[in-house]
Amino acid sequence: MPEARSASFISGSRREYVSTTNACKMCMPLGAALAFRGVEGSVPFLHGSQGCATYMRRYLISHFREPMDIASSSLGEKHAVYGGGPNLKLGLMNVANKYGARLIGIATTCLTETIGDDVPLILKEFKRETGANFDGQKGPYLVFASTPSYSGTHKDGFLAATRALLAQVAAKKPGSRHEVGVFPGLVSPADIRYLKEILSDFGLSGTIVPDISDPLDAPAAEEYQRIPPGGTPIAEIESLGRARAFVDLGRLVKGRRSPAEVLKERFGLKTYHLGLPIGLRETDRFFEALSEISGSPIPEKHLLERGRLIDAMVDAHKYLFGQKVVVYGEEDLVVGLTSFLAEIGARPVLCATGDRQKDFPDAISQVTNDILPEPPRVAVGVDFYGIAGLCEELSPDIFLGHSKGYHLARKMGLPLVRVGFPIHDRFGAQRIMHLGYRGALALLDRLVNAIIERRQETSSVGYTYI
Ligand code: SF4
């Protein structure tokens, strides 16, 4: 066993400045709205001012290139003084009537958290006043998540909304029983489609919560649909308590009332807490877990994909070996990508996140300790001002992260391989694959080609054979 080492840790709160410059995270209710969008027949609803919903819609539409309605209680100055309860009730009634929603996912914003609106109490009053027609049976479910943006990131909002969905909707109803509940966190629609294919290849019927694959990567429709089809069926969430096992994906959700932990508290079933299956080893663990749950061996099709990935890793080694990579973004994604970089011979020199999860450095150590000769630097709660300062010292060769790092990559004249969320300056973000053997192979190709392209661009000779 190699000696246990800690990745060197840097906090984002540097003594010399207190502001955030080009944040490496997004707003907490944005993540909640995204998670609520992944439930069939749902409408995300922000309790706050109109501007918050506009900003979030702009961000989500630009990444997914799909329409994204987010309702708002549209508060103004008056409500900041007297409270936003009446607007929230009116807005909920409008959404229920105009959209015919089966579920309204309500998230708070900075404003309503700061003025202290007691949303659970307002919802209770609303149900009483409307004759309890908002209980998921006679009317839509009203699912509430508290998401004060100043206390977390979009990842925390996504987790809070998923947790709220499971705590408030999951039950043991008879009906469409699915064998396994999978909670992948914030991954792409293409990743979710691939997860469904894997579950089906194991012969498992699975419920993925939330499932943004169809609502946020939909076929062209002749007419605008206010609520796009797709998303996790509510009936499946209502019968999750009868599943065989629950699987959390993401090393850092464990111990934070993760989706599987919430369900285990309520239904006491077997839970698996795995890393996001990015790269070879994390994907192997995921496939082993599915093999155990299903009682079936890993299907041949996936073993062949694994073999092709290893073959490509061998071929790519001469391009990737020793390449210094700065990887940043949402914490679980960074852990998965770092694990992958370490196993393909690259050198992750900086692992940075705008999240503030204190276990992040440990998670990075766990996936690199036995492979890397030198642990990467780790930055938590950092912005791009902080990342730029560290890059001066580390002289990286390539960036791996979302498109908010573009300015820095451009300034340093380095390639940026875009992954995660948000991606506003490239096309096809919803189709980027990160997970599994297939996703690893796609990422490997993109990394190698970015390195080759840079060599060509910076060469005075103009090689065509590299
Ligand atoms: S950070 Fe706060 S004020 Fe800004 S968009 Fe998010 S919820 Fe609204």
PDB file of all heavy atoms in Angstrom, residues 100-137:
ATOM      1  N   GLY A 100     -51.228  23.209 -15.983  1.00  0.00           N
ATOM      2  CA  GLY A 100     -51.709  21.858 -15.692  1.00  0.00           C
ATOM      3  C   GLY A 100     -50.588  21.001 -15.116  1.00  0.00           C
ATOM      4  O   GLY A 100     -50.470  19.808 -15.424  1.00  0.00           O
ATOM      5  N   ALA A 101     -49.754  21.613 -14.277  1.00  0.00           N
ATOM      6  CA  ALA A 101     -48.579  20.901 -13.741  1.00  0.00           C
ATOM      7  C   ALA A 101     -49.011  19.764 -12.826  1.00  0.00           C
ATOM      8  O   ALA A 101     -50.029  19.842 -12.135  1.00  0.00           O
ATOM      9  CB  ALA A 101     -47.707  21.877 -12.969  1.00  0.00           C
ATOM     10  N   ARG A 102     -48.200  18.684 -12.815  1.00  0.00           N
ATOM     11  CA  ARG A 102     -48.434  17.591 -11.858  1.00  0.00           C
ATOM     12  C   ARG A 102     -47.598  17.783 -10.611  1.00  0.00           C
ATOM     13  O   ARG A 102     -47.824  17.168  -9.575  1.00  0.00           O
ATOM     14  CB  ARG A 102     -48.095  16.251 -12.518  1.00  0.00           C
ATOM     15  CG  ARG A 102     -49.087  15.920 -13.648  1.00  0.00           C
ATOM     16  CD  ARG A 102     -49.145  14.449 -13.886  1.00  0.00           C
ATOM     17  NE  ARG A 102     -49.402  13.714 -12.667  1.00  0.00           N
ATOM     18  CZ  ARG A 102     -48.901  12.513 -12.407  1.00  0.00           C
ATOM     19  NH1 ARG A 102     -48.130  11.924 -13.299  1.00  0.00           N
ATOM     20  NH2 ARG A 102     -49.178  11.900 -11.283  1.00  0.00           N
ATOM     21  N   LEU A 103     -46.577  18.633 -10.746  1.00  0.00           N
ATOM     22  CA  LEU A 103     -45.721  18.919  -9.586  1.00  0.00           C
ATOM     23  C   LEU A 103     -45.149  20.321  -9.777  1.00  0.00           C
ATOM     24  O   LEU A 103     -44.729  20.667 -10.880  1.00  0.00           O
ATOM     25  CB  LEU A 103     -44.591  17.884  -9.506  1.00  0.00           C
ATOM     26  CG  LEU A 103     -43.625  17.948  -8.331  1.00  0.00           C
ATOM     27  CD1 LEU A 103     -43.144  16.535  -7.948  1.00  0.00           C
ATOM     28  CD2 LEU A 103     -42.407  18.813  -8.590  1.00  0.00           C
ATOM     29  N   ILE A 104     -45.188  21.113  -8.717  1.00  0.00           N
ATOM     30  CA  ILE A 104     -44.553  22.435  -8.776  1.00  0.00           C
ATOM     31  C   ILE A 104     -43.384  22.398  -7.788  1.00  0.00           C
ATOM     32  O   ILE A 104     -43.565  22.101  -6.605  1.00  0.00           O
ATOM     33  CB  ILE A 104     -45.540  23.566  -8.428  1.00  0.00           C
ATOM     34  CG1 ILE A 104     -46.767  23.504  -9.364  1.00  0.00           C
ATOM     35  CG2 ILE A 104     -44.855  24.931  -8.551  1.00  0.00           C
ATOM     36  CD1 ILE A 104     -47.862  24.518  -9.039  1.00  0.00           C
ATOM     37  N   GLY A 105     -42.192  22.624  -8.322  1.00  0.00           N
ATOM     38  CA  GLY A 105     -40.978  22.572  -7.489  1.00  0.00           C
ATOM     39  C   GLY A 105     -40.604  23.979  -7.067  1.00  0.00           C
ATOM     40  O   GLY A 105     -40.171  24.784  -7.892  1.00  0.00           O
ATOM     41  N   ILE A 106     -40.799  24.287  -5.796  1.00  0.00           N
ATOM     42  CA  ILE A 106     -40.607  25.663  -5.318  1.00  0.00           C
ATOM     43  C   ILE A 106     -39.233  25.796  -4.664  1.00  0.00           C
ATOM     44  O   ILE A 106     -38.890  25.025  -3.761  1.00  0.00           O
ATOM     45  CB  ILE A 106     -41.703  26.017  -4.278  1.00  0.00           C
ATOM     46  CG1 ILE A 106     -43.087  25.795  -4.901  1.00  0.00           C
ATOM     47  CG2 ILE A 106     -41.543  27.455  -3.767  1.00  0.00           C
ATOM     48  CD1 ILE A 106     -44.107  25.311  -3.917  1.00  0.00           C
ATOM     49  N   ALA A 107     -38.468  26.780  -5.115  1.00  0.00           N
ATOM     50  CA  ALA A 107     -37.154  27.041  -4.506  1.00  0.00           C
ATOM     51  C   ALA A 107     -37.113  28.499  -4.077  1.00  0.00           C
ATOM     52  O   ALA A 107     -37.616  29.384  -4.783  1.00  0.00           O
ATOM     53  CB  ALA A 107     -36.042  26.756  -5.516  1.00  0.00           C
ATOM     54  N   THR A 108     -36.511  28.747  -2.940  1.00  0.00           N
ATOM     55  CA  THR A 108     -36.379  30.128  -2.468  1.00  0.00           C
ATOM     56  C   THR A 108     -35.160  30.783  -3.127  1.00  0.00           C
ATOM     57  O   THR A 108     -34.329  30.112  -3.729  1.00  0.00           O
ATOM     58  CB  THR A 108     -36.206  30.164  -0.944  1.00  0.00           C
ATOM     59  OG1 THR A 108     -35.253  29.165  -0.572  1.00  0.00           O
ATOM     60  CG2 THR A 108     -37.508  29.928  -0.227  1.00  0.00           C
ATOM     61  N   THR A 109     -35.073  32.089  -2.971  1.00  0.00           N
ATOM     62  CA  THR A 109     -33.936  32.843  -3.524  1.00  0.00           C
ATOM     63  C   THR A 109     -33.309  33.662  -2.385  1.00  0.00           C
ATOM     64  O   THR A 109     -33.804  33.641  -1.249  1.00  0.00           O
ATOM     65  CB  THR A 109     -34.424  33.796  -4.621  1.00  0.00           C
ATOM     66  OG1 THR A 109     -35.400  34.665  -4.036  1.00  0.00           O
ATOM     67  CG2 THR A 109     -35.039  33.059  -5.802  1.00  0.00           C
ATOM     68  N   CYS A 110     -32.267  34.420  -2.728  1.00  0.00           N
ATOM     69  CA  CYS A 110     -31.595  35.227  -1.699  1.00  0.00           C
ATOM     70  C   CYS A 110     -32.587  36.154  -0.998  1.00  0.00           C
ATOM     71  O   CYS A 110     -32.586  36.286   0.223  1.00  0.00           O
ATOM     72  CB  CYS A 110     -30.503  36.085  -2.333  1.00  0.00           C
ATOM     73  SG  CYS A 110     -29.203  35.124  -3.087  1.00  0.00           S
ATOM     74  N   LEU A 111     -33.447  36.795  -1.805  1.00  0.00           N
ATOM     75  CA  LEU A 111     -34.380  37.781  -1.244  1.00  0.00           C
ATOM     76  C   LEU A 111     -35.308  37.150  -0.215  1.00  0.00           C
ATOM     77  O   LEU A 111     -35.407  37.620   0.926  1.00  0.00           O
ATOM     78  CB  LEU A 111     -35.200  38.417  -2.385  1.00  0.00           C
ATOM     79  CG  LEU A 111     -36.365  39.299  -1.963  1.00  0.00           C
ATOM     80  CD1 LEU A 111     -35.877  40.509  -1.173  1.00  0.00           C
ATOM     81  CD2 LEU A 111     -37.163  39.764  -3.175  1.00  0.00           C
ATOM     82  N   THR A 112     -35.983  36.062  -0.598  1.00  0.00           N
ATOM     83  CA  THR A 112     -36.989  35.500   0.307  1.00  0.00           C
ATOM     84  C   THR A 112     -36.348  34.806   1.516  1.00  0.00           C
ATOM     85  O   THR A 112     -36.953  34.732   2.578  1.00  0.00           O
ATOM     86  CB  THR A 112     -37.922  34.530  -0.439  1.00  0.00           C
ATOM     87  OG1 THR A 112     -37.135  33.678  -1.271  1.00  0.00           O
ATOM     88  CG2 THR A 112     -38.905  35.297  -1.291  1.00  0.00           C
ATOM     89  N   GLU A 113     -35.120  34.331   1.335  1.00  0.00           N
ATOM     90  CA  GLU A 113     -34.432  33.763   2.501  1.00  0.00           C
ATOM     91  C   GLU A 113     -34.016  34.874   3.451  1.00  0.00           C
ATOM     92  O   GLU A 113     -34.089  34.729   4.676  1.00  0.00           O
ATOM     93  CB  GLU A 113     -33.199  32.966   2.055  1.00  0.00           C
ATOM     94  CG  GLU A 113     -33.518  31.643   1.377  1.00  0.00           C
ATOM     95  CD  GLU A 113     -33.975  30.562   2.342  1.00  0.00           C
ATOM     96  OE1 GLU A 113     -33.795  30.716   3.558  1.00  0.00           O
ATOM     97  OE2 GLU A 113     -34.528  29.542   1.872  1.00  0.00           O
ATOM     98  N   THR A 114     -33.606  36.029   2.891  1.00  0.00           N
ATOM     99  CA  THR A 114     -33.128  37.121   3.742  1.00  0.00           C
ATOM    100  C   THR A 114     -34.278  37.767   4.512  1.00  0.00           C
ATOM    101  O   THR A 114     -34.137  38.084   5.696  1.00  0.00           O
ATOM    102  CB  THR A 114     -32.391  38.174   2.874  1.00  0.00           C
ATOM    103  OG1 THR A 114     -31.351  37.510   2.173  1.00  0.00           O
ATOM    104  CG2 THR A 114     -31.803  39.288   3.728  1.00  0.00           C
ATOM    105  N   ILE A 115     -35.429  37.945   3.842  1.00  0.00           N
ATOM    106  CA  ILE A 115     -36.558  38.560   4.575  1.00  0.00           C
ATOM    107  C   ILE A 115     -37.233  37.542   5.498  1.00  0.00           C
ATOM    108  O   ILE A 115     -38.068  37.898   6.308  1.00  0.00           O
ATOM    109  CB  ILE A 115     -37.588  39.224   3.629  1.00  0.00           C
ATOM    110  CG1 ILE A 115     -38.268  38.167   2.722  1.00  0.00           C
ATOM    111  CG2 ILE A 115     -36.947  40.323   2.801  1.00  0.00           C
ATOM    112  CD1 ILE A 115     -39.382  38.738   1.851  1.00  0.00           C
ATOM    113  N   GLY A 116     -36.880  36.273   5.329  1.00  0.00           N
ATOM    114  CA  GLY A 116     -37.363  35.259   6.269  1.00  0.00           C
ATOM    115  C   GLY A 116     -38.762  34.752   5.976  1.00  0.00           C
ATOM    116  O   GLY A 116     -39.482  34.364   6.905  1.00  0.00           O
ATOM    117  N   ASP A 117     -39.174  34.732   4.714  1.00  0.00           N
ATOM    118  CA  ASP A 117     -40.490  34.149   4.397  1.00  0.00           C
ATOM    119  C   ASP A 117     -40.525  32.685   4.836  1.00  0.00           C
ATOM    120  O   ASP A 117     -39.623  31.906   4.491  1.00  0.00           O
ATOM    121  CB  ASP A 117     -40.735  34.217   2.884  1.00  0.00           C
ATOM    122  CG  ASP A 117     -41.558  35.431   2.491  1.00  0.00           C
ATOM    123  OD1 ASP A 117     -41.870  36.246   3.380  1.00  0.00           O
ATOM    124  OD2 ASP A 117     -41.870  35.568   1.289  1.00  0.00           O
ATOM    125  N   ASP A 118     -41.563  32.347   5.587  1.00  0.00           N
ATOM    126  CA  ASP A 118     -41.694  30.968   6.069  1.00  0.00           C
ATOM    127  C   ASP A 118     -42.502  30.185   5.021  1.00  0.00           C
ATOM    128  O   ASP A 118     -43.732  30.080   5.103  1.00  0.00           O
ATOM    129  CB  ASP A 118     -42.404  30.987   7.438  1.00  0.00           C
ATOM    130  CG  ASP A 118     -42.437  29.611   8.078  1.00  0.00           C
ATOM    131  OD1 ASP A 118     -42.236  28.605   7.354  1.00  0.00           O
ATOM    132  OD2 ASP A 118     -42.665  29.534   9.293  1.00  0.00           O
ATOM    133  N   VAL A 119     -41.795  29.638   4.037  1.00  0.00           N
ATOM    134  CA  VAL A 119     -42.492  29.014   2.900  1.00  0.00           C
ATOM    135  C   VAL A 119     -43.306  27.782   3.324  1.00  0.00           C
ATOM    136  O   VAL A 119     -44.463  27.647   2.900  1.00  0.00           O
ATOM    137  CB  VAL A 119     -41.506  28.706   1.753  1.00  0.00           C
ATOM    138  CG1 VAL A 119     -42.201  27.955   0.622  1.00  0.00           C
ATOM    139  CG2 VAL A 119     -40.909  29.999   1.217  1.00  0.00           C
ATOM    140  N   PRO A 120     -42.782  26.891   4.168  1.00  0.00           N
ATOM    141  CA  PRO A 120     -43.628  25.751   4.573  1.00  0.00           C
ATOM    142  C   PRO A 120     -44.955  26.207   5.183  1.00  0.00           C
ATOM    143  O   PRO A 120     -46.010  25.635   4.899  1.00  0.00           O
ATOM    144  CB  PRO A 120     -42.762  25.004   5.594  1.00  0.00           C
ATOM    145  CG  PRO A 120     -41.361  25.341   5.196  1.00  0.00           C
ATOM    146  CD  PRO A 120     -41.412  26.757   4.697  1.00  0.00           C
ATOM    147  N   LEU A 121     -44.901  27.288   5.994  1.00  0.00           N
ATOM    148  CA  LEU A 121     -46.139  27.787   6.605  1.00  0.00           C
ATOM    149  C   LEU A 121     -47.064  28.377   5.545  1.00  0.00           C
ATOM    150  O   LEU A 121     -48.284  28.126   5.556  1.00  0.00           O
ATOM    151  CB  LEU A 121     -45.797  28.851   7.662  1.00  0.00           C
ATOM    152  CG  LEU A 121     -46.998  29.413   8.419  1.00  0.00           C
ATOM    153  CD1 LEU A 121     -47.604  28.347   9.331  1.00  0.00           C
ATOM    154  CD2 LEU A 121     -46.597  30.632   9.241  1.00  0.00           C
ATOM    155  N   ILE A 122     -46.491  29.126   4.601  1.00  0.00           N
ATOM    156  CA  ILE A 122     -47.314  29.721   3.531  1.00  0.00           C
ATOM    157  C   ILE A 122     -47.985  28.608   2.715  1.00  0.00           C
ATOM    158  O   ILE A 122     -49.161  28.694   2.358  1.00  0.00           O
ATOM    159  CB  ILE A 122     -46.444  30.627   2.615  1.00  0.00           C
ATOM    160  CG1 ILE A 122     -45.885  31.808   3.411  1.00  0.00           C
ATOM    161  CG2 ILE A 122     -47.248  31.142   1.420  1.00  0.00           C
ATOM    162  CD1 ILE A 122     -44.802  32.611   2.690  1.00  0.00           C
ATOM    163  N   LEU A 123     -47.234  27.539   2.440  1.00  0.00           N
ATOM    164  CA  LEU A 123     -47.805  26.432   1.655  1.00  0.00           C
ATOM    165  C   LEU A 123     -48.918  25.730   2.418  1.00  0.00           C
ATOM    166  O   LEU A 123     -49.937  25.324   1.850  1.00  0.00           O
ATOM    167  CB  LEU A 123     -46.707  25.427   1.264  1.00  0.00           C
ATOM    168  CG  LEU A 123     -45.624  25.953   0.310  1.00  0.00           C
ATOM    169  CD1 LEU A 123     -44.626  24.847  -0.019  1.00  0.00           C
ATOM    170  CD2 LEU A 123     -46.234  26.503  -0.975  1.00  0.00           C
ATOM    171  N   LYS A 124     -48.729  25.628   3.729  1.00  0.00           N
ATOM    172  CA  LYS A 124     -49.764  24.999   4.571  1.00  0.00           C
ATOM    173  C   LYS A 124     -51.053  25.820   4.513  1.00  0.00           C
ATOM    174  O   LYS A 124     -52.148  25.295   4.315  1.00  0.00           O
ATOM    175  CB  LYS A 124     -49.239  24.937   6.015  1.00  0.00           C
ATOM    176  CG  LYS A 124     -49.723  23.781   6.815  1.00  0.00           C
ATOM    177  CD  LYS A 124     -48.894  23.681   8.065  1.00  0.00           C
ATOM    178  CE  LYS A 124     -49.657  22.975   9.147  1.00  0.00           C
ATOM    179  NZ  LYS A 124     -48.958  23.032  10.436  1.00  0.00           N
ATOM    180  N   GLU A 125     -50.876  27.149   4.654  1.00  0.00           N
ATOM    181  CA  GLU A 125     -52.042  28.056   4.575  1.00  0.00           C
ATOM    182  C   GLU A 125     -52.709  27.928   3.214  1.00  0.00           C
ATOM    183  O   GLU A 125     -53.926  27.854   3.092  1.00  0.00           O
ATOM    184  CB  GLU A 125     -51.582  29.515   4.725  1.00  0.00           C
ATOM    185  CG  GLU A 125     -51.267  29.953   6.124  1.00  0.00           C
ATOM    186  CD  GLU A 125     -50.639  31.346   6.116  1.00  0.00           C
ATOM    187  OE1 GLU A 125     -50.584  32.017   5.046  1.00  0.00           O
ATOM    188  OE2 GLU A 125     -50.163  31.747   7.171  1.00  0.00           O
ATOM    189  N   PHE A 126     -51.874  27.889   2.178  1.00  0.00           N
ATOM    190  CA  PHE A 126     -52.379  27.825   0.797  1.00  0.00           C
ATOM    191  C   PHE A 126     -53.220  26.566   0.597  1.00  0.00           C
ATOM    192  O   PHE A 126     -54.314  26.609   0.022  1.00  0.00           O
ATOM    193  CB  PHE A 126     -51.178  27.852  -0.153  1.00  0.00           C
ATOM    194  CG  PHE A 126     -51.532  27.746  -1.600  1.00  0.00           C
ATOM    195  CD1 PHE A 126     -52.286  28.728  -2.230  1.00  0.00           C
ATOM    196  CD2 PHE A 126     -51.088  26.670  -2.364  1.00  0.00           C
ATOM    197  CE1 PHE A 126     -52.602  28.636  -3.578  1.00  0.00           C
ATOM    198  CE2 PHE A 126     -51.401  26.571  -3.704  1.00  0.00           C
ATOM    199  CZ  PHE A 126     -52.165  27.557  -4.314  1.00  0.00           C
ATOM    200  N   LYS A 127     -52.715  25.449   1.099  1.00  0.00           N
ATOM    201  CA  LYS A 127     -53.457  24.193   0.945  1.00  0.00           C
ATOM    202  C   LYS A 127     -54.783  24.264   1.694  1.00  0.00           C
ATOM    203  O   LYS A 127     -55.815  23.796   1.202  1.00  0.00           O
ATOM    204  CB  LYS A 127     -52.623  23.018   1.469  1.00  0.00           C
ATOM    205  CG  LYS A 127     -51.474  22.640   0.547  1.00  0.00           C
ATOM    206  CD  LYS A 127     -50.678  21.500   1.125  1.00  0.00           C
ATOM    207  CE  LYS A 127     -49.450  21.203   0.299  1.00  0.00           C
ATOM    208  NZ  LYS A 127     -48.582  20.197   0.885  1.00  0.00           N
ATOM    209  N   ARG A 128     -54.718  24.875   2.889  1.00  0.00           N
ATOM    210  CA  ARG A 128     -55.964  24.982   3.670  1.00  0.00           C
ATOM    211  C   ARG A 128     -56.975  25.880   2.938  1.00  0.00           C
ATOM    212  O   ARG A 128     -58.129  25.526   2.785  1.00  0.00           O
ATOM    213  CB  ARG A 128     -55.631  25.552   5.066  1.00  0.00           C
ATOM    214  CG  ARG A 128     -56.730  25.323   6.087  1.00  0.00           C
ATOM    215  CD  ARG A 128     -56.370  25.832   7.468  1.00  0.00           C
ATOM    216  NE  ARG A 128     -56.020  27.234   7.474  1.00  0.00           N
ATOM    217  CZ  ARG A 128     -54.887  27.730   7.935  1.00  0.00           C
ATOM    218  NH1 ARG A 128     -53.967  26.944   8.445  1.00  0.00           N
ATOM    219  NH2 ARG A 128     -54.663  29.031   7.905  1.00  0.00           N
ATOM    220  N   GLU A 129     -56.476  27.013   2.448  1.00  0.00           N
ATOM    221  CA  GLU A 129     -57.360  27.973   1.783  1.00  0.00           C
ATOM    222  C   GLU A 129     -57.966  27.427   0.484  1.00  0.00           C
ATOM    223  O   GLU A 129     -59.050  27.815   0.078  1.00  0.00           O
ATOM    224  CB  GLU A 129     -56.586  29.266   1.471  1.00  0.00           C
ATOM    225  CG  GLU A 129     -56.254  30.080   2.713  1.00  0.00           C
ATOM    226  CD  GLU A 129     -55.102  31.047   2.492  1.00  0.00           C
ATOM    227  OE1 GLU A 129     -54.683  31.265   1.334  1.00  0.00           O
ATOM    228  OE2 GLU A 129     -54.590  31.571   3.501  1.00  0.00           O
ATOM    229  N   THR A 130     -57.201  26.524  -0.171  1.00  0.00           N
ATOM    230  CA  THR A 130     -57.695  26.010  -1.456  1.00  0.00           C
ATOM    231  C   THR A 130     -58.378  24.647  -1.294  1.00  0.00           C
ATOM    232  O   THR A 130     -58.633  23.962  -2.270  1.00  0.00           O
ATOM    233  CB  THR A 130     -56.531  25.864  -2.459  1.00  0.00           C
ATOM    234  OG1 THR A 130     -55.517  25.084  -1.840  1.00  0.00           O
ATOM    235  CG2 THR A 130     -56.004  27.195  -2.909  1.00  0.00           C
ATOM    236  N   GLY A 131     -58.621  24.224  -0.092  1.00  0.00           N
ATOM    237  CA  GLY A 131     -59.310  22.957   0.150  1.00  0.00           C
ATOM    238  C   GLY A 131     -58.427  21.751  -0.094  1.00  0.00           C
ATOM    239  O   GLY A 131     -58.883  20.730  -0.594  1.00  0.00           O
ATOM    240  N   ALA A 132     -57.124  21.896   0.230  1.00  0.00           N
ATOM    241  CA  ALA A 132     -56.167  20.775   0.136  1.00  0.00           C
ATOM    242  C   ALA A 132     -56.138  20.125  -1.235  1.00  0.00           C
ATOM    243  O   ALA A 132     -56.075  18.917  -1.369  1.00  0.00           O
ATOM    244  CB  ALA A 132     -56.446  19.734   1.220  1.00  0.00           C
ATOM    245  N   ASN A 133     -56.246  20.956  -2.265  1.00  0.00           N
ATOM    246  CA  ASN A 133     -56.198  20.403  -3.616  1.00  0.00           C
ATOM    247  C   ASN A 133     -54.779  20.316  -4.183  1.00  0.00           C
ATOM    248  O   ASN A 133     -54.592  20.086  -5.356  1.00  0.00           O
ATOM    249  CB  ASN A 133     -57.055  21.254  -4.567  1.00  0.00           C
ATOM    250  CG  ASN A 133     -58.512  20.860  -4.456  1.00  0.00           C
ATOM    251  OD1 ASN A 133     -58.810  19.769  -3.976  1.00  0.00           O
ATOM    252  ND2 ASN A 133     -59.394  21.734  -4.862  1.00  0.00           N
ATOM    253  N   PHE A 134     -53.795  20.535  -3.355  1.00  0.00           N
ATOM    254  CA  PHE A 134     -52.418  20.531  -3.839  1.00  0.00           C
ATOM    255  C   PHE A 134     -51.603  19.475  -3.090  1.00  0.00           C
ATOM    256  O   PHE A 134     -50.604  19.768  -2.471  1.00  0.00           O
ATOM    257  CB  PHE A 134     -51.792  21.925  -3.673  1.00  0.00           C
ATOM    258  CG  PHE A 134     -52.380  22.921  -4.621  1.00  0.00           C
ATOM    259  CD1 PHE A 134     -53.574  23.564  -4.331  1.00  0.00           C
ATOM    260  CD2 PHE A 134     -51.743  23.196  -5.817  1.00  0.00           C
ATOM    261  CE1 PHE A 134     -54.123  24.463  -5.220  1.00  0.00           C
ATOM    262  CE2 PHE A 134     -52.285  24.102  -6.716  1.00  0.00           C
ATOM    263  CZ  PHE A 134     -53.480  24.741  -6.410  1.00  0.00           C
ATOM    264  N   ASP A 135     -52.082  18.256  -3.148  1.00  0.00           N
ATOM    265  CA  ASP A 135     -51.437  17.200  -2.380  1.00  0.00           C
ATOM    266  C   ASP A 135     -50.879  16.093  -3.274  1.00  0.00           C
ATOM    267  O   ASP A 135     -50.555  15.019  -2.813  1.00  0.00           O
ATOM    268  CB  ASP A 135     -52.441  16.591  -1.384  1.00  0.00           C
ATOM    269  CG  ASP A 135     -53.689  16.069  -2.097  1.00  0.00           C
ATOM    270  OD1 ASP A 135     -53.756  16.207  -3.342  1.00  0.00           O
ATOM    271  OD2 ASP A 135     -54.573  15.533  -1.422  1.00  0.00           O
ATOM    272  N   GLY A 136     -50.804  16.363  -4.575  1.00  0.00           N
ATOM    273  CA  GLY A 136     -50.282  15.358  -5.497  1.00  0.00           C
ATOM    274  C   GLY A 136     -51.342  14.389  -5.968  1.00  0.00           C
ATOM    275  O   GLY A 136     -51.094  13.615  -6.876  1.00  0.00           O
ATOM    276  N   GLN A 137     -52.517  14.425  -5.381  1.00  0.00           N
ATOM    277  CA  GLN A 137     -53.580  13.514  -5.797  1.00  0.00           C
ATOM    278  C   GLN A 137     -54.672  14.300  -6.524  1.00  0.00           C
ATOM    279  O   GLN A 137     -54.883  14.120  -7.713  1.00  0.00           O
ATOM    280  CB  GLN A 137     -54.170  12.773  -4.576  1.00  0.00           C
ATOM    281  CG  GLN A 137     -53.132  12.097  -3.689  1.00  0.00           C
ATOM    282  CD  GLN A 137     -52.157  11.206  -4.457  1.00  0.00           C
ATOM    283  OE1 GLN A 137     -52.557  10.428  -5.311  1.00  0.00           O
ATOM    284  NE2 GLN A 137     -50.858  11.315  -4.161  1.00  0.00           N
TER     285      GLN A 137
END
